[in-house]
């Protein structure tokens, strides 16, 4: 490799086209903080250099941009650059692209001034200088971004007058960061010149670009320079590459451009689109990519990787799984894409599907326990690979749901102990190659754990908890009970809706009554429920709990509400299972006996909804 001191003016004025490799991430700099920080540096350089010239000095203030890595391309068959040399920009895409947008914005401002001063030869010469940094002789951009960004960038280069309309009319060109950042730089240049902080001349501005310096590393493939090692060393010194960025580069960083393009388009880009199409907003995408690879390595190694070491873990797994395979990178990418399709479907199933598998996955996700996701992923991926059938994966997911909800309702804090337990479960399932014993191995792990806190609660233990516990406790506990009642209402009812945020856990006998006389027997409440001790004992019992679509009744109304008013509120929905006792139009009272009877009925139903494994399933 060759390492030289260089500056952005020399880099862009060279007779060279810089291509962003297919494996690189998209342009991702935001206005804040990256572009704002870059502009402040540029503005400071201009101001300092102006002061130096005014004082008759010759020392310029330089700014170090870090390292930029390129490798000249040797594959002329791929080149459409009018005999202009081309290089891959291995590292430095974000900085070079942002500075190019800054140059576009400056050129646009000069073009506006030339409309007012068409005979200004100095400005014309400056405009030509800037155009030489942006385009080659064929009027094509010198910087070729990734396939998802290049059309927008080329449009900016060719049609920069859109910047005028955008600033005048507030027109936005979609969500392109390229357009947004170019407009930001245009506003910065305009403010700089209109405030007369610096004259609009090439002599005043060009030195600034020469002061933006960097270490230019030019790799030489014929000397076995390894771009991936450069990437890793840069990342280790603080360059902002994510774990998924490093994995992508590891799999796709080849000098054969056609091969690179094929693998990127057929596999990696499809994987990205799977996540992009379902993510709620663009800011979620990097975290979801990271989460997918962490879950993938968890099911492969039966060990949850440290977030900062996912790439290292992936490389070690790749070496053992594909190290001796022909065409290893493509085979690995195919496996990743298959796994990603399974993961996305699991992660974003909305609960409305008629598939019991997807409905069960949705219900498990509502527990909001990240430790469950790799186990679900393992089951669904084994099903996708043909190791287990739909019937077996459904039984496994249903027992996982039973185990988790029983365990969390029995002891809401026990979820923090499950990481190692579920890792051992995945390790156990990784050794199974026979569908006939797959479910048996899963259930044995759930029941025979040596950590007593994690034992699958039996029917007797769990029913006792349901019947006798007061669930008017922590927010976490109420969340689990809310989900429990939701799943119970959905039991054998494929048409039931998803668990909306508007659904609230509520109490037939109001939970906020202080026992000071607001509720009365005339309103239909049992006298044993009205004193303080009776209210505290029975208001939070299972037999008094239900779901309410919408927020619970305001305290002021709830305290003086009659049973019939409360009944009429609740009987509008959840008629299949939860509110059977409230559907009788002649029922006008609510008693301790009613709470006990309803609690018994719901507890028995819940034991069916969340079954304990039959002993026959545990036999070899």
């Amino acid at each position: 490799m060759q390492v030289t001191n260089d500056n952005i003016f020399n880099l862009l004025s060279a007779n060279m086209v810089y291509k962003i490799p297919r494996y690189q991430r998209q342009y991702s700099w935001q206005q804040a903080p990256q572009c704002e920080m870059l502009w402040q540096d540029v503005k400071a350089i201009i101001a300092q250099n102006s002061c130096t010239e005014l004082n008759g000095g010759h020392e310029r203030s330089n700014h170090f941009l870090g390292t930029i890595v390129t490798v000249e391309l040797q594959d002329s068959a791929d080149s459409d650059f009018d005999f202009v040399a081309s290089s891959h920009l291995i590292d430095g895409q974000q900085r070079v692209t942002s500075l190019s947008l800054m140059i576009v914005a400056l050129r646009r401002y000069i073009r506006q001034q030339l409309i007012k001063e068409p005979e200004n030869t100095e400005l014309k010469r400056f405009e030509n200088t800037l155009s030489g940094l942006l385009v080659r002789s064929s009027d094509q951009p010198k910087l070729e971004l990734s396939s998802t960004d290049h059309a927008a960038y080329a449009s900016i280069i060719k049609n920069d007058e859109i910047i005028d309309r955008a600033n005048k009319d507030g027109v936005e060109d979609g969500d392109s960061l390229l357009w947004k950042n170019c407009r930001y730089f245009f506003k910065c240049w305009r403010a700089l010149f209109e405030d007369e902080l610096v004259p609009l001349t090439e002599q005043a501005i060009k030195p600034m670009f020469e002061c933006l310096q960097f270490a230019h590393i030019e790799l030489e493939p014929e000397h076995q320079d390894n771009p991936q090692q450069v990437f890793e060393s840069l990342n280790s010194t603080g360059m902002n590459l994510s774990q998924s960025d490093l994995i992508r580069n590891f799999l796709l960083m080849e000098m054969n451009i056609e091969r690179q393009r094929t693998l990127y388009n057929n596999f990696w880009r499809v994987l990205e689109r799977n996540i992009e199409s379902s993510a709620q907003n663009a800011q979620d995408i990097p975290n979801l990519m990271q989460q997918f690879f962490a879950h993938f390595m968890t099911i492969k190694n039966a060990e949850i990787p440290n977030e900062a070491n996912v790439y290292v873990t992936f490389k070690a797994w790749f070496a053992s799984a594909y190290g001796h395979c022909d065409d290893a990178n493509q085979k690995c990418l195919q496996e990743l894409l298959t796994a990603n399709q399974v993961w996305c479907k699991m992660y974003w199933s909305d609960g409305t599907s008629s598939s019991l598998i997807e409905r069960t996955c949705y219900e498990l996700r509502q527990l909001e326990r990240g430790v469950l996701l790799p186990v679900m992923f393992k089951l669904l991926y084994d099903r996708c690979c043909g190791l287990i059938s739909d019937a077996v994966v459904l039984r496994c997911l249903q027992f996982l749901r039973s185990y988790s909800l029983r365990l969390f309702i029995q002891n809401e804090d026990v979820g923090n102990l499950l990481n190692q337990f579920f890792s051992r479960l995945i390790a156990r399932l990784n050794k199974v190659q026979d569908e006939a014993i797959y479910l048996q191995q899963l259930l044995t792990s759930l029941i025979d754990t040596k950590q007593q806190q994690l034992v699958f609660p039996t029917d007797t233990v769990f029913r006792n908890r349901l019947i006798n516990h007061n669930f008017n406790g922590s927010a976490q506990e109420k969340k689990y009970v809310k989900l429990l009642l939701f799943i119970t209402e959905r039991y054998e009812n494929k048409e039931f809706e998803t668990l909306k945020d508007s659904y609230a856990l509520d109490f037939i006998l109001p939970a906020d009554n202080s026992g000071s006389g607001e509720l009365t027997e005339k309103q239909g409440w049992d006298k044993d429920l009205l004193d303080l001790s009776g209210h505290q004992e029975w208001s939070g019992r299972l037999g008094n709990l239900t779901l309410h679509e919408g927020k619970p009744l305001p305290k002021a109304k709830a305290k003086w509400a009659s049973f019939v008013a409360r009944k009429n509120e609740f009987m509008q929905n959840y008629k299949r299972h939860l509110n059977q006792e409230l559907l009788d139009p002649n029922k006008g009272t609510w008693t301790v006996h009613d709470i006990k009877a309803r609690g018994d009925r719901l507890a028995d139903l819940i034991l069916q909804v969340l079954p304990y494994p039959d002993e026959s399933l545990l036999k070899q």
Side-chain angles (χ1 to χ4, degrees):
M1 67 176 66
Q2 296 183 17
V3 183
T4 57
N5 292 326
D6 210 339
N7 63 65
I8 197 66
F9 187 86
N10 288 342
L11 183 80
L12 294 178
S13 60
N15 192 31
M16 178 72 70
V17 172
Y18 298 100
K19 298 182 65 177
I20 307 302
R22 291 297 189 275
Y23 55 76
Q24 285 273 28
R25 60 184 167 183
Q26 295 174 251
Y27 179 68
S28 57
W29 269 25
Q30 304 286 333
Q31 176 180 324
Q34 292 94 347
C35 289
E36 290 179 357
M37 292 174 62
L38 179 62
W39 175 253
Q40 290 304 317
D41 291 335
V42 167
K43 187 176 177 181
I45 292 170
I46 293 173
Q48 290 170 10
N49 289 340
S50 297
C51 290
T52 299
E53 292 184 11
L54 287 173
N55 295 326
H58 301 285
E59 291 291 330
R60 291 178 177 174
S61 175
N62 296 324
H63 177 72
F64 184 61
L65 290 172
T67 303
I68 289 178
V69 183
T70 62
V71 56
E72 188 166 351
L73 297 175
Q74 308 298 319
D75 191 350
S76 59
D78 182 73
S79 181
D80 183 25
F81 299 128
D82 307 310
F83 305 105
V84 177
S86 58
S87 287
H88 264 170
L89 186 56
I90 299 297
D91 186 66
Q93 172 198 178
Q94 308 294 327
R95 287 162 289 160
V96 173
T97 303
S98 297
L99 286 164
S100 296
L101 294 174
M102 188 183 292
I103 293 170
V104 174
L106 175 59
R107 187 183 66 171
R108 183 61 214 162
Y109 185 80
I110 291 173
R111 287 177 172 177
Q112 286 185 347
Q113 303 313 302
L114 282 171
I115 295 174
K116 304 173 185 177
E117 306 175 54
E119 303 303 321
N120 190 324
T121 56
E122 288 191 16
L123 280 184
K124 286 182 179 179
R125 186 166 53 249
F126 193 13
E127 179 202 5
N128 288 335
T129 298
L130 295 177
S131 292
L133 301 178
L134 298 170
V135 298
R136 54 189 189 271
S137 57
S138 60
D139 208 31
Q140 296 298 311
K142 279 190 171 183
L143 183 62
E144 183 176 309
L145 302 188
S146 63
S147 56
T148 52
D149 286 330
H150 188 66
Y153 180 72
S155 177
I156 292 171
I157 295 290
K158 294 179 180 179
N159 306 301
D160 60 8
E161 70 276 2
I162 296 177
I163 296 173
D164 301 346
R165 298 201 300 270
N167 282 280
K168 181 180 179 182
D169 304 324
V171 177
E172 288 290 340
D173 187 56
D175 293 324
S176 171
L177 285 173
L178 294 157
W179 275 109
K180 290 179 180 178
N181 290 346
C182 191
R183 292 182 188 121
Y184 166 72
F185 288 130
F186 179 85
K187 293 175 183 177
C188 292
W189 286 119
R190 184 175 60 190
L192 184 74
F193 296 126
E194 291 182 356
D195 291 344
E196 298 183 350
L197 297 178
V198 65
L200 179 56
T201 64
E202 184 171 350
Q203 182 180 6
I205 303 301
K206 179 182 173 183
M208 179 274 296
F209 292 110
E210 295 172 340
C211 291
L212 293 172
Q213 299 187 347
F214 56 87
H216 188 181
I217 300 177
E218 297 178 87
L219 302 183
E220 300 173 325
E222 64 273 17
H223 294 157
Q224 285 78 51
D225 288 344
N226 189 322
Q228 183 62 23
Q229 289 181 356
V230 174
F231 248 122
E232 293 178 22
S233 64
L234 290 171
N235 196 57
S236 68
T237 57
M239 305 301 281
N240 190 25
L241 291 173
S242 70
Q243 298 296 294
S244 58
D245 288 334
L246 290 168
I247 291 172
R248 179 196 58 228
N249 298 341
F250 173 75
L251 292 172
L252 297 178
M253 191 176 284
E254 299 177 4
M255 293 305 107
N256 186 312
I257 301 173
E258 274 303 323
R259 179 68 172 157
Q260 205 175 84
R261 179 184 290 117
T262 299
L263 293 179
Y264 176 81
N265 290 336
N266 292 347
F267 299 104
W268 190 272
R269 185 60 190 136
V270 181
L271 184 152
E272 287 181 325
R273 285 198 186 103
N274 288 341
I275 291 180
E276 290 170 3
S277 63
S278 300
Q280 293 185 354
N281 55 69
Q283 287 72 28
D284 293 337
I285 294 172
N287 289 335
L288 291 170
M289 288 286 288
Q290 172 92 356
Q291 192 174 109
F292 163 68
F293 282 106
H295 288 172
F296 181 78
M297 294 318 307
T298 300
I299 70 172
K300 288 298 178 181
N301 292 341
E303 184 177 349
I304 300 172
N306 183 287
E307 287 187 5
N309 293 327
V310 173
Y311 169 59
V312 173
T313 305
F314 177 86
K315 278 207 307 181
W317 168 79
F318 178 88
S320 66
Y322 290 100
H324 303 291
C325 294
D326 293 332
D327 209 6
N329 289 26
Q330 178 170 331
K331 291 176 180 176
C332 179
L333 282 164
Q334 178 63 70
E335 181 175 5
L336 285 174
L337 180 56
T338 300
N340 176 259
Q341 290 167 339
V342 173
W343 187 82
C344 286
K345 193 170 185 179
M346 172 199 82
Y347 200 93
W348 284 297
S349 59
D350 63 4
T352 61
S353 170
S354 61
S355 164
L356 289 176
I357 291 174
E358 290 188 32
R359 288 164 67 88
T360 306
C361 286
Y362 171 81
E363 291 164 2
L364 278 164
R365 285 206 333 271
Q366 303 315 302
L367 283 165
E368 298 179 347
R369 286 287 189 173
V371 69
L372 287 168
L373 296 177
V375 186
M376 295 164 58
F377 185 24
K378 167 65 178 172
L379 298 174
L380 294 168
Y381 189 58
D382 284 350
R383 168 210 186 199
C384 176
C385 295
L387 180 60
I388 53 177
S389 64
D390 285 4
V392 170
V393 78
L394 177 59
R395 295 297 299 281
C396 288
L397 287 168
Q398 288 174 335
F399 279 120
L400 182 64
R401 180 187 64 184
S402 296
Y403 172 75
S404 301
L405 257 175
R406 285 189 181 212
L407 200 62
F408 294 156
I409 288 176
Q410 195 74 26
N411 182 350
E412 62 184 276
D413 296 324
V414 80
N416 298 324
L417 303 175
L418 285 173
N419 278 355
Q420 291 185 354
F421 172 66
F422 279 145
S423 294
R424 289 195 296 270
L425 170 59
I426 291 173
R428 193 167 188 168
L429 295 178
N430 280 345
K431 297 176 183 178
V432 177
Q433 298 299 319
D434 183 358
E435 182 187 52
I437 63 171
Y438 197 98
L439 178 60
Q440 182 265 333
Q441 289 293 313
L442 179 135
L443 294 177
T444 299
S445 295
L446 299 184
I447 293 173
D448 292 344
T449 176
K450 295 179 181 179
Q451 297 186 62
Q452 293 302 308
Q453 286 180 290
L454 300 179
V455 171
F456 202 141
T458 63
D459 284 352
T460 301
V461 170
F462 189 50
R463 192 180 193 281
N464 182 65
R465 176 76 170 183
L466 292 174
I467 293 296
N468 296 314
H469 183 66
N470 191 318
F471 290 104
N472 193 13
S474 69
Q476 182 84 309
E477 182 180 68
K478 289 180 179 178
K479 182 184 77 172
Y480 293 144
V481 175
K482 172 182 170 181
L483 179 60
L484 175 67
L485 296 182
F486 168 75
I487 293 173
T488 302
E489 183 66 20
R490 273 165 62 102
Y491 181 55
E492 297 181 347
N493 181 6
K494 294 184 179 181
E495 303 303 319
F496 193 64
E497 296 179 351
T498 55
L499 184 59
K500 300 177 182 178
D501 291 338
S502 60
Y503 292 166
L505 181 67
D506 212 332
F507 304 80
I508 300 172
L509 170 71
D512 58 349
N513 183 49
S514 64
S516 59
E518 290 89 347
L519 300 176
T520 67
E521 289 184 69
K522 290 182 179 181
Q523 294 173 316
W525 303 111
D526 187 343
K527 63 178 181 179
D528 293 333
L529 299 175
L530 298 181
D531 61 66
L532 183 60
S533 61
H535 183 272
Q536 289 178 340
E537 180 177 355
W538 294 105
S539 65
R541 295 290 186 94
L542 176 64
N544 192 55
L545 305 180
T546 189
L547 292 178
H548 179 245
E549 191 166 0
K551 296 180 179 179
L553 292 177
K555 290 184 178 181
K557 291 185 178 179
K559 284 185 177 181
W560 287 277
S562 68
F563 167 70
V564 172
R566 299 283 286 177
K567 181 186 75 168
N568 291 338
E569 181 74 26
F570 296 133
M571 67 184 291
Q572 303 301 317
N573 43 39
Y574 316 116
K575 300 176 183 179
R576 184 176 183 86
H577 295 303
L578 289 187
N579 293 335
Q580 289 182 10
E581 289 81 0
L582 304 179
L583 300 180
D584 181 357
N586 297 317
K587 184 170 180 57
T589 60
W590 192 243
T591 67
V592 170
H593 175 77
D594 292 322
I595 294 175
K596 288 181 178 180
R598 183 170 178 269
D600 286 336
R601 180 183 67 81
L602 288 178
D604 291 338
L605 178 59
I606 289 169
L607 295 182
Q608 296 178 49
V609 176
L610 304 178
Y612 188 82
D614 185 273
E615 289 186 7
S616 63
L617 297 173
L618 300 174
K619 295 179 181 178
Q620 294 284 354

